[in-house]
Amino acid sequence: MIYIQNQIVFITGASSGIGASCAKLFAGGGAKLILAARRLDRLDRLAKELVETRLIASIDDIYLLELDVRDRSQVESVVTALPDAWKAIDILINNAGLSRGLDKLHEGNFQDWEEMIDTNVKGLLYMTRYIVPGMVSRGRGHVVNIGSIAGRQTYPKGNVYCASKAAVRAISEGLKQDLLGTPIRVTEIEPGLVETEFSNVRFHGDAEKAKNVYQGLTPLTPDDVADVVYFCVTRSPHVNISEVLLVPTDQAGATLVHRSQN
Ligand code: NDP
Ligand code: 8X3
């Protein structure tokens, strides 16, 4: 087991859901956190909460970044402009991601497609491309990519979102192959249904539709996923957990879900 005390952990999409839960758990383990998202006000709130709840000793142990991972030049400039004390990133959690819409492919919305591909695939690639070279030259590091059960099993109307997560799976496998011979580890986490803002974002703010996704079942919580991320990164350095599929007990496949009637 390794300890993450004082390790620098960069989490994308830390303003909500799984990313925010990872921030709390890693803060509790004594890590130093670089938290990135587009909504800086949310990150600010989270940082204050981490200090107030004493999960983190000092606000100086958190570095906040307003970042849109879709913007390659922005990713490059924030990574290269990190202060010296924050440059040696030990763990990169590529979590920022989203689904937009649930439509038949031949009726799909171009803007939704572009948003998903630009965030889930290209954003993850940009982050990886700008951060992993430093890990290689320092001879230490761990990349955790948040994929999805949707990357393994396509479901009706999930088409482009599922494709973007299948890409995350292929990229994770490819990165592991390309880093073979280095001590850098690569893990892909593939959750099933997790109740976060995910469905609200998918349905463009339709709260009723979002709520129905989790109706009659006990979904995973973002803390459940953070727990698994933490487990993977704290294994001994010679252990690489390459992939983890985690689902609620009420879920047995992308579309196979048990819902109680009441
Ligand atoms: P949330 O909507 O709660 O969180 C998504 C996070 O991604 C937010 O912090 C959001 O921040 C950030 N984000 C979105 N777009 C961008 C962008 N362009 N640049 C930077 N940050 C961005 O959903 P989850 O926590 O559920 O999602 C986290 C990851 O988990 C995603 O990759 C998702 O696909 C994956 N996942 C989710 C599952 C679920 O059922 N919830 C299941 C399987 C995987 P902001 O808007 O402030 O930029
Ligand atoms: C999110 C899980 O099943 O809604 O990746 O696609 S699902």
Side-chain angles (χ1 to χ4, degrees), residues 133-171:
M135 292 181 171
V136 172
S137 64
R138 288 186 297 276
R140 54 183 283 134
H142 196 147
V143 179
V144 179
N145 291 334
I146 306 297
S148 170
I149 190 173
R152 291 191 181 213
Q153 300 169 7
T154 304
Y155 52 83
K157 301 182 180 174
N159 44 66
V160 176
Y161 177 71
C162 296
S164 75
K165 290 300 184 178
V168 172
R169 193 165 191 219
I171 291 163

mmCIF file of all heavy atoms in Angstrom, residues 133-171:
data_model
loop_
_atom_site.group_PDB
_atom_site.id
_atom_site.type_symbol
_atom_site.label_atom_id
_atom_site.label_comp_id
_atom_site.label_asym_id
_atom_site.label_seq_id
_atom_site.Cartn_x
_atom_site.Cartn_y
_atom_site.Cartn_z
ATOM 1 N N PRO A 133 4.032 13.489 -19.871
ATOM 2 C CA PRO A 133 5.487 13.596 -20.090
ATOM 3 C C PRO A 133 6.259 13.934 -18.804
ATOM 4 O O PRO A 133 7.350 13.398 -18.566
ATOM 5 C CB PRO A 133 5.606 14.721 -21.127
ATOM 6 C CG PRO A 133 4.322 14.624 -21.900
ATOM 7 C CD PRO A 133 3.273 14.275 -20.859
ATOM 8 N N GLY A 134 5.696 14.784 -17.969
ATOM 9 C CA GLY A 134 6.355 15.113 -16.696
ATOM 10 C C GLY A 134 6.442 13.891 -15.800
ATOM 11 O O GLY A 134 7.459 13.660 -15.121
ATOM 12 N N MET A 135 5.391 13.082 -15.787
ATOM 13 C CA MET A 135 5.411 11.857 -14.980
ATOM 14 C C MET A 135 6.518 10.936 -15.469
ATOM 15 O O MET A 135 7.263 10.353 -14.677
ATOM 16 C CB MET A 135 4.066 11.131 -15.079
ATOM 17 C CG MET A 135 2.906 11.852 -14.417
ATOM 18 S SD MET A 135 1.392 10.882 -14.594
ATOM 19 C CE MET A 135 0.275 11.785 -13.528
ATOM 20 N N VAL A 136 6.635 10.835 -16.795
ATOM 21 C CA VAL A 136 7.657 9.947 -17.375
ATOM 22 C C VAL A 136 9.046 10.457 -16.985
ATOM 23 O O VAL A 136 9.901 9.683 -16.537
ATOM 24 C CB VAL A 136 7.494 9.849 -18.912
ATOM 25 C CG1 VAL A 136 8.658 9.083 -19.538
ATOM 26 C CG2 VAL A 136 6.163 9.185 -19.263
ATOM 27 N N SER A 137 9.254 11.759 -17.104
ATOM 28 C CA SER A 137 10.616 12.241 -16.803
ATOM 29 C C SER A 137 10.927 12.154 -15.302
ATOM 30 O O SER A 137 12.070 11.945 -14.929
ATOM 31 C CB SER A 137 10.860 13.637 -17.370
ATOM 32 O OG SER A 137 10.011 14.539 -16.741
ATOM 33 N N ARG A 138 9.908 12.249 -14.458
ATOM 34 C CA ARG A 138 10.160 12.113 -13.002
ATOM 35 C C ARG A 138 10.200 10.651 -12.563
ATOM 36 O O ARG A 138 10.566 10.337 -11.449
ATOM 37 C CB ARG A 138 9.068 12.843 -12.196
ATOM 38 C CG ARG A 138 9.148 14.359 -12.259
ATOM 39 C CD ARG A 138 8.135 15.013 -11.333
ATOM 40 N NE ARG A 138 6.755 14.715 -11.695
ATOM 41 C CZ ARG A 138 6.049 15.377 -12.613
ATOM 42 N NH1 ARG A 138 6.589 16.394 -13.246
ATOM 43 N NH2 ARG A 138 4.809 15.029 -12.896
ATOM 44 N N GLY A 139 9.706 9.751 -13.446
ATOM 45 C CA GLY A 139 9.698 8.321 -13.110
ATOM 46 C C GLY A 139 8.671 7.969 -12.051
ATOM 47 O O GLY A 139 8.845 7.022 -11.288
ATOM 48 N N ARG A 140 7.572 8.691 -12.015
ATOM 49 C CA ARG A 140 6.478 8.346 -11.097
ATOM 50 C C ARG A 140 5.162 8.969 -11.577
ATOM 51 O O ARG A 140 5.162 10.050 -12.155
ATOM 52 C CB ARG A 140 6.758 8.764 -9.657
ATOM 53 C CG ARG A 140 7.118 10.239 -9.487
ATOM 54 C CD ARG A 140 7.467 10.574 -8.050
ATOM 55 N NE ARG A 140 6.284 10.678 -7.212
ATOM 56 C CZ ARG A 140 6.178 10.120 -6.017
ATOM 57 N NH1 ARG A 140 7.178 9.416 -5.522
ATOM 58 N NH2 ARG A 140 5.073 10.258 -5.303
ATOM 59 N N GLY A 141 4.075 8.248 -11.290
ATOM 60 C CA GLY A 141 2.783 8.819 -11.664
ATOM 61 C C GLY A 141 1.717 7.765 -11.849
ATOM 62 O O GLY A 141 2.001 6.568 -11.983
ATOM 63 N N HIS A 142 0.469 8.232 -11.815
ATOM 64 C CA HIS A 142 -0.676 7.336 -11.984
ATOM 65 C C HIS A 142 -1.772 8.133 -12.697
ATOM 66 O O HIS A 142 -2.118 9.234 -12.267
ATOM 67 C CB HIS A 142 -1.168 6.859 -10.610
ATOM 68 C CG HIS A 142 -2.078 5.663 -10.667
ATOM 69 N ND1 HIS A 142 -2.109 4.701 -9.671
ATOM 70 C CD2 HIS A 142 -2.983 5.262 -11.590
ATOM 71 C CE1 HIS A 142 -2.994 3.763 -9.989
ATOM 72 N NE2 HIS A 142 -3.542 4.084 -11.141
ATOM 73 N N VAL A 143 -2.289 7.585 -13.780
ATOM 74 C CA VAL A 143 -3.396 8.227 -14.500
ATOM 75 C C VAL A 143 -4.646 7.387 -14.272
ATOM 76 O O VAL A 143 -4.641 6.171 -14.510
ATOM 77 C CB VAL A 143 -3.109 8.315 -16.020
ATOM 78 C CG1 VAL A 143 -4.287 8.957 -16.759
ATOM 79 C CG2 VAL A 143 -1.818 9.086 -16.274
ATOM 80 N N VAL A 144 -5.703 8.044 -13.797
ATOM 81 C CA VAL A 144 -6.980 7.357 -13.604
ATOM 82 C C VAL A 144 -7.992 7.991 -14.557
ATOM 83 O O VAL A 144 -8.252 9.193 -14.487
ATOM 84 C CB VAL A 144 -7.481 7.497 -12.148
ATOM 85 C CG1 VAL A 144 -8.825 6.796 -11.985
ATOM 86 C CG2 VAL A 144 -6.460 6.947 -11.165
ATOM 87 N N ASN A 145 -8.513 7.198 -15.464
ATOM 88 C CA ASN A 145 -9.525 7.698 -16.401
ATOM 89 C C ASN A 145 -10.899 7.200 -15.985
ATOM 90 O O ASN A 145 -11.075 6.003 -15.719
ATOM 91 C CB ASN A 145 -9.217 7.203 -17.820
ATOM 92 C CG ASN A 145 -7.971 7.860 -18.393
ATOM 93 O OD1 ASN A 145 -7.611 8.973 -17.997
ATOM 94 N ND2 ASN A 145 -7.310 7.191 -19.307
ATOM 95 N N ILE A 146 -11.854 8.114 -15.928
ATOM 96 C CA ILE A 146 -13.220 7.696 -15.607
ATOM 97 C C ILE A 146 -13.945 7.383 -16.914
ATOM 98 O O ILE A 146 -14.322 8.270 -17.677
ATOM 99 C CB ILE A 146 -13.988 8.771 -14.787
ATOM 100 C CG1 ILE A 146 -13.187 9.178 -13.525
ATOM 101 C CG2 ILE A 146 -15.372 8.232 -14.406
ATOM 102 C CD1 ILE A 146 -12.927 8.086 -12.494
ATOM 103 N N GLY A 147 -14.086 6.091 -17.162
ATOM 104 C CA GLY A 147 -14.850 5.605 -18.315
ATOM 105 C C GLY A 147 -16.283 5.379 -17.885
ATOM 106 O O GLY A 147 -16.857 6.164 -17.121
ATOM 107 N N SER A 148 -16.865 4.291 -18.357
ATOM 108 C CA SER A 148 -18.255 3.992 -17.997
ATOM 109 C C SER A 148 -18.596 2.579 -18.456
ATOM 110 O O SER A 148 -17.993 2.061 -19.409
ATOM 111 C CB SER A 148 -19.185 4.981 -18.703
ATOM 112 O OG SER A 148 -20.535 4.586 -18.578
ATOM 113 N N ILE A 149 -19.606 2.014 -17.819
ATOM 114 C CA ILE A 149 -20.172 0.757 -18.332
ATOM 115 C C ILE A 149 -20.614 0.976 -19.790
ATOM 116 O O ILE A 149 -20.594 0.048 -20.611
ATOM 117 C CB ILE A 149 -21.361 0.286 -17.454
ATOM 118 C CG1 ILE A 149 -21.791 -1.134 -17.840
ATOM 119 C CG2 ILE A 149 -22.537 1.257 -17.532
ATOM 120 C CD1 ILE A 149 -22.838 -1.735 -16.916
ATOM 121 N N ALA A 150 -20.940 2.231 -20.113
ATOM 122 C CA ALA A 150 -21.389 2.577 -21.469
ATOM 123 C C ALA A 150 -20.282 2.415 -22.499
ATOM 124 O O ALA A 150 -20.548 2.363 -23.697
ATOM 125 C CB ALA A 150 -21.907 4.021 -21.484
ATOM 126 N N GLY A 151 -19.046 2.328 -22.034
ATOM 127 C CA GLY A 151 -17.929 2.093 -22.951
ATOM 128 C C GLY A 151 -17.785 0.623 -23.299
ATOM 129 O O GLY A 151 -17.068 0.257 -24.226
ATOM 130 N N ARG A 152 -18.452 -0.222 -22.540
ATOM 131 C CA ARG A 152 -18.413 -1.671 -22.798
ATOM 132 C C ARG A 152 -19.663 -2.133 -23.518
ATOM 133 O O ARG A 152 -19.628 -3.060 -24.295
ATOM 134 C CB ARG A 152 -18.376 -2.441 -21.477
ATOM 135 C CG ARG A 152 -17.114 -2.306 -20.712
ATOM 136 C CD ARG A 152 -17.167 -3.328 -19.600
ATOM 137 N NE ARG A 152 -15.975 -3.242 -18.776
ATOM 138 C CZ ARG A 152 -15.437 -4.291 -18.196
ATOM 139 N NH1 ARG A 152 -15.976 -5.481 -18.320
ATOM 140 N NH2 ARG A 152 -14.364 -4.150 -17.447
ATOM 141 N N GLN A 153 -20.794 -1.538 -23.134
ATOM 142 C CA GLN A 153 -22.081 -1.967 -23.682
ATOM 143 C C GLN A 153 -22.834 -0.752 -24.204
ATOM 144 O O GLN A 153 -23.172 0.141 -23.434
ATOM 145 C CB GLN A 153 -22.925 -2.630 -22.583
ATOM 146 C CG GLN A 153 -22.289 -3.850 -21.975
ATOM 147 C CD GLN A 153 -23.034 -4.307 -20.725
ATOM 148 O OE1 GLN A 153 -24.102 -3.801 -20.371
ATOM 149 N NE2 GLN A 153 -22.451 -5.270 -20.029
ATOM 150 N N THR A 154 -23.096 -0.747 -25.490
ATOM 151 C CA THR A 154 -23.872 0.361 -26.065
ATOM 152 C C THR A 154 -25.349 0.138 -25.764
ATOM 153 O O THR A 154 -25.824 -0.993 -25.804
ATOM 154 C CB THR A 154 -23.659 0.403 -27.587
ATOM 155 O OG1 THR A 154 -22.254 0.503 -27.826
ATOM 156 C CG2 THR A 154 -24.355 1.600 -28.225
ATOM 157 N N TYR A 155 -26.037 1.194 -25.409
ATOM 158 C CA TYR A 155 -27.483 1.066 -25.175
ATOM 159 C C TYR A 155 -28.249 1.964 -26.136
ATOM 160 O O TYR A 155 -27.686 2.947 -26.650
ATOM 161 C CB TYR A 155 -27.836 1.356 -23.704
ATOM 162 C CG TYR A 155 -27.314 2.660 -23.153
ATOM 163 C CD1 TYR A 155 -27.972 3.865 -23.355
ATOM 164 C CD2 TYR A 155 -26.137 2.678 -22.401
ATOM 165 C CE1 TYR A 155 -27.482 5.048 -22.843
ATOM 166 C CE2 TYR A 155 -25.635 3.865 -21.887
ATOM 167 C CZ TYR A 155 -26.311 5.039 -22.116
ATOM 168 O OH TYR A 155 -25.813 6.219 -21.622
ATOM 169 N N PRO A 156 -29.519 1.626 -26.417
ATOM 170 C CA PRO A 156 -30.284 2.398 -27.398
ATOM 171 C C PRO A 156 -30.285 3.894 -27.064
ATOM 172 O O PRO A 156 -30.493 4.269 -25.905
ATOM 173 C CB PRO A 156 -31.701 1.815 -27.297
ATOM 174 C CG PRO A 156 -31.493 0.432 -26.781
ATOM 175 C CD PRO A 156 -30.308 0.510 -25.855
ATOM 176 N N LYS A 157 -30.021 4.697 -28.047
ATOM 177 C CA LYS A 157 -29.966 6.161 -27.968
ATOM 178 C C LYS A 157 -28.727 6.673 -27.225
ATOM 179 O O LYS A 157 -28.564 7.871 -27.039
ATOM 180 C CB LYS A 157 -31.241 6.742 -27.334
ATOM 181 C CG LYS A 157 -32.509 6.385 -28.111
ATOM 182 C CD LYS A 157 -33.712 7.021 -27.460
ATOM 183 C CE LYS A 157 -34.986 6.670 -28.225
ATOM 184 N NZ LYS A 157 -36.183 7.140 -27.550
ATOM 185 N N GLY A 158 -27.882 5.731 -26.783
ATOM 186 C CA GLY A 158 -26.657 6.154 -26.073
ATOM 187 C C GLY A 158 -25.514 6.396 -27.043
ATOM 188 O O GLY A 158 -24.470 6.946 -26.661
ATOM 189 N N ASN A 159 -25.723 5.932 -28.290
ATOM 190 C CA ASN A 159 -24.719 5.959 -29.383
ATOM 191 C C ASN A 159 -23.431 6.783 -29.166
ATOM 192 O O ASN A 159 -22.366 6.215 -28.940
ATOM 193 C CB ASN A 159 -25.421 6.375 -30.684
ATOM 194 C CG ASN A 159 -26.383 7.540 -30.492
ATOM 195 O OD1 ASN A 159 -25.981 8.639 -30.186
ATOM 196 N ND2 ASN A 159 -27.679 7.275 -30.673
ATOM 197 N N VAL A 160 -23.508 8.088 -29.223
ATOM 198 C CA VAL A 160 -22.278 8.893 -29.214
ATOM 199 C C VAL A 160 -21.637 8.926 -27.820
ATOM 200 O O VAL A 160 -20.410 8.855 -27.691
ATOM 201 C CB VAL A 160 -22.545 10.326 -29.754
ATOM 202 C CG1 VAL A 160 -21.298 11.194 -29.646
ATOM 203 C CG2 VAL A 160 -23.010 10.240 -31.203
ATOM 204 N N TYR A 161 -22.469 9.005 -26.765
ATOM 205 C CA TYR A 161 -21.898 8.949 -25.414
ATOM 206 C C TYR A 161 -21.160 7.620 -25.228
ATOM 207 O O TYR A 161 -20.017 7.598 -24.743
ATOM 208 C CB TYR A 161 -22.988 9.111 -24.341
ATOM 209 C CG TYR A 161 -22.417 8.982 -22.939
ATOM 210 C CD1 TYR A 161 -21.594 9.977 -22.405
ATOM 211 C CD2 TYR A 161 -22.655 7.844 -22.164
ATOM 212 C CE1 TYR A 161 -21.041 9.849 -21.134
ATOM 213 C CE2 TYR A 161 -22.107 7.711 -20.898
ATOM 214 C CZ TYR A 161 -21.300 8.716 -20.384
ATOM 215 O OH TYR A 161 -20.733 8.584 -19.138
ATOM 216 N N CYS A 162 -21.799 6.520 -25.633
ATOM 217 C CA CYS A 162 -21.179 5.195 -25.495
ATOM 218 C C CYS A 162 -19.883 5.133 -26.300
ATOM 219 O O CYS A 162 -18.870 4.612 -25.824
ATOM 220 C CB CYS A 162 -22.143 4.097 -25.944
ATOM 221 S SG CYS A 162 -23.630 4.004 -24.913
ATOM 222 N N ALA A 163 -19.911 5.714 -27.495
ATOM 223 C CA ALA A 163 -18.698 5.721 -28.328
ATOM 224 C C ALA A 163 -17.585 6.500 -27.632
ATOM 225 O O ALA A 163 -16.417 6.096 -27.656
ATOM 226 C CB ALA A 163 -19.009 6.340 -29.689
ATOM 227 N N SER A 164 -17.950 7.616 -26.991
ATOM 228 C CA SER A 164 -16.913 8.428 -26.334
ATOM 229 C C SER A 164 -16.295 7.652 -25.174
ATOM 230 O O SER A 164 -15.102 7.750 -24.904
ATOM 231 C CB SER A 164 -17.483 9.776 -25.862
ATOM 232 O OG SER A 164 -18.291 9.619 -24.703
ATOM 233 N N LYS A 165 -17.106 6.838 -24.493
ATOM 234 C CA LYS A 165 -16.562 6.070 -23.362
ATOM 235 C C LYS A 165 -15.831 4.816 -23.846
ATOM 236 O O LYS A 165 -14.897 4.355 -23.188
ATOM 237 C CB LYS A 165 -17.683 5.740 -22.370
ATOM 238 C CG LYS A 165 -18.187 6.985 -21.617
ATOM 239 C CD LYS A 165 -17.067 7.648 -20.806
ATOM 240 C CE LYS A 165 -17.551 8.818 -19.968
ATOM 241 N NZ LYS A 165 -16.486 9.429 -19.162
ATOM 242 N N ALA A 166 -16.232 4.282 -25.019
ATOM 243 C CA ALA A 166 -15.451 3.194 -25.620
ATOM 244 C C ALA A 166 -14.070 3.736 -25.993
ATOM 245 O O ALA A 166 -13.054 3.040 -25.870
ATOM 246 C CB ALA A 166 -16.168 2.639 -26.844
ATOM 247 N N ALA A 167 -14.036 4.993 -26.425
ATOM 248 C CA ALA A 167 -12.747 5.623 -26.741
ATOM 249 C C ALA A 167 -11.894 5.764 -25.480
ATOM 250 O O ALA A 167 -10.684 5.526 -25.512
ATOM 251 C CB ALA A 167 -12.968 6.987 -27.389
ATOM 252 N N VAL A 168 -12.535 6.110 -24.358
ATOM 253 C CA VAL A 168 -11.779 6.228 -23.094
ATOM 254 C C VAL A 168 -11.149 4.876 -22.743
ATOM 255 O O VAL A 168 -10.003 4.791 -22.299
ATOM 256 C CB VAL A 168 -12.679 6.737 -21.943
ATOM 257 C CG1 VAL A 168 -11.956 6.668 -20.598
ATOM 258 C CG2 VAL A 168 -13.158 8.163 -22.211
ATOM 259 N N ARG A 169 -11.898 3.828 -23.019
ATOM 260 C CA ARG A 169 -11.383 2.482 -22.742
ATOM 261 C C ARG A 169 -10.155 2.187 -23.622
ATOM 262 O O ARG A 169 -9.119 1.717 -23.143
ATOM 263 C CB ARG A 169 -12.495 1.465 -23.010
ATOM 264 C CG ARG A 169 -12.165 0.111 -22.474
ATOM 265 C CD ARG A 169 -13.378 -0.790 -22.413
ATOM 266 N NE ARG A 169 -12.999 -1.965 -21.642
ATOM 267 C CZ ARG A 169 -13.384 -3.193 -21.921
ATOM 268 N NH1 ARG A 169 -14.201 -3.411 -22.917
ATOM 269 N NH2 ARG A 169 -12.982 -4.194 -21.186
ATOM 270 N N ALA A 170 -10.284 2.480 -24.918
ATOM 271 C CA ALA A 170 -9.180 2.211 -25.852
ATOM 272 C C ALA A 170 -7.966 3.085 -25.526
ATOM 273 O O ALA A 170 -6.822 2.621 -25.570
ATOM 274 C CB ALA A 170 -9.642 2.460 -27.285
ATOM 275 N N ILE A 171 -8.227 4.343 -25.180
ATOM 276 C CA ILE A 171 -7.121 5.262 -24.861
ATOM 277 C C ILE A 171 -6.392 4.790 -23.596
ATOM 278 O O ILE A 171 -5.162 4.821 -23.519
ATOM 279 C CB ILE A 171 -7.654 6.709 -24.700
ATOM 280 C CG1 ILE A 171 -8.121 7.255 -26.052
ATOM 281 C CG2 ILE A 171 -6.607 7.622 -24.077
ATOM 282 C CD1 ILE A 171 -9.015 8.482 -25.955
#
